[in-house]
Structure formats: structure tokens, C-alpha cells
Amino acid sequence: MKNLILIITIFVSSLFAESFSNNKADVAPVNNQLYIKECGSCHFPYQPGLLPAKAWNKMMVNLDNHFNSDASLNEANLQTLTKYLNDNSAEKNMQYKRSNRIVSSLGKNEIPDSISTTPYMIKKHKDIKKDLITQNEVKGLFNCMACHKTADKGIYGERDINIPNFGRWKN
């Protein structure tokens, strides 16, 4: 009986610890070197699980005007990266908390233009003063790594937020 109680205690403790761990990804980390090279050369290589496939497809067909820049790719790289984004998009990664919440926040036919315009992201950042988001050290919601120090690992939890000229975020 003691052994059974010990086993149950260890099991419950491990579940509790995992749910509060800073090491558990909220969204699947990026694992494609071509994506990191091509997209990450200009900006943070956003995890595909932060947008649904329709949004990634909309973005990929307009790379000649990608947020006022020409990010055109050769056809082979375009096809490879579009497939990677589709195969790892938010609706394909619903086991991850943030991917699930992003998809759930969207209307049936809603196709966001960017990660920061999804209803989920707007809601998550609504309590942050605009001047903290637009300051030079951050520049905008698009700059995840400015405040989310573990964003590159797919971890966006509140414990890992440190806003420049403000400090740790406590909600």
C-alpha cells in the first residue's frame, strides 16, 4: 500500500511540475533550417503554429510585398517553405496551448494578416501600455524576442516576459 501511495504521489507531482514548468513549449519550436535562414535573416523566425495555414498561404503568395519589403524566394524555396508552414500551422498543432488558442480565437472565415492581429494576441497584449510596445527597444508586437526571452524555444509564458524599461510582467 505504501508503494502504491508513493507511486501515485510521484505521478501526481510530475504532472503538477510539468504544468508549471518553464521548459514546456507553448507552440512547436521552429525546426527547419531553410526557414530559419530565409525568414530569420530579416526577422524573428516565427513558429508556424502561431498562424493557421490559410494565413501562411496568404502571406507566401504576397512575398513581393511582405510588410513593405520584397521577400521573394525562388520557386523551389517557396514551395518548400510553404509546405513547412502548412504542415506545422496552428490547426495542425492543436496539442500546443498557444496554437489551440489562436485557432479558437478566429472566426470561421477569418484569415489574419499577421500573428499580432489575431484576436488571441490582441487580447493577450491588451493590458500592456502602448508606449511599452512601441518603444525603440520593442518596436511593436511583431518583435516577440524583445519581451518573451524564450520565444525562440516556443515558450511564451508570463514567467519569461521581461519588458524593456518596465521589467518582469506580472498580470
Side-chain angles (χ1 to χ4, degrees):
M1 185 64 166
K2 277 185 169 181
N3 288 341
L4 180 60
I5 292 171
L6 179 63
I7 290 169
I8 290 171
T9 303
I10 291 170
F11 177 73
V12 170
S13 296
S14 70
L15 288 176
F16 184 80
E18 182 180 336
S19 68
F20 288 96
S21 171
N22 280 351
N23 297 323
K24 187 175 181 193
D26 297 312
V27 65
V30 172
N31 63 4
N32 182 295
Q33 291 307 308
L34 179 63
Y35 179 73
I36 292 168
K37 177 184 170 226
E38 290 293 342
C39 302
S41 66
C42 295
H43 58 72
F44 174 72
Y46 303 102
Q47 290 88 3
L50 293 173
L51 280 175
K54 287 181 180 180
W56 287 120
N57 290 335
K58 180 179 176 182
M59 198 175 297
M60 295 304 283
V61 299
N62 292 305
L63 287 178
D64 58 330
N65 185 18
H66 183 67
F67 300 96
N68 299 318
S69 293
D70 186 351
S72 298
L73 298 165
N74 68 46
E75 190 60 30
N77 286 351
L78 177 65
Q79 295 303 318
T80 299
L81 293 179
T82 300
K83 181 175 177 3
Y84 170 68
L85 293 168
N86 277 281
D87 289 350
N88 295 281
S89 61
E91 69 272 26
K92 305 252 176 78
N93 278 290
M94 297 290 278
Q95 73 273 23
Y96 289 94
K97 176 172 70 174
R98 304 270 180 232
S99 296
N100 188 318
R101 291 180 181 167
I102 286 166
V103 170
S104 298
S105 77
L106 296 169
K108 184 178 179 180
N109 296 315
E110 186 175 2
I111 303 173
D113 291 324
S114 67
I115 295 162
S116 60
T117 62
T118 62
Y120 174 74
M121 290 298 177
I122 291 168
K123 180 181 175 187
K124 288 302 289 182
H125 295 89
K126 71 177 174 43
D127 293 333
I128 302 170
K129 292 179 184 175
K130 185 177 178 173
D131 63 325
L132 290 174
I133 295 169
T134 58
Q135 65 174 304
N136 286 336
E137 293 84 353
V138 179
K139 295 182 179 58
L141 290 181
F142 60 87
N143 189 7
C144 304
M145 287 296 296
C147 303
H148 296 273
K149 302 306 179 187
T150 53
D152 58 332
K153 296 178 178 93
I155 301 170
Y156 291 87
E158 288 184 8
R159 290 187 209 174
D160 300 303
I161 299 172
N162 191 348
I163 302 171
N165 301 310
F166 178 82
R168 290 184 51 107
W169 180 251
K170 294 177 186 161
N171 195 8

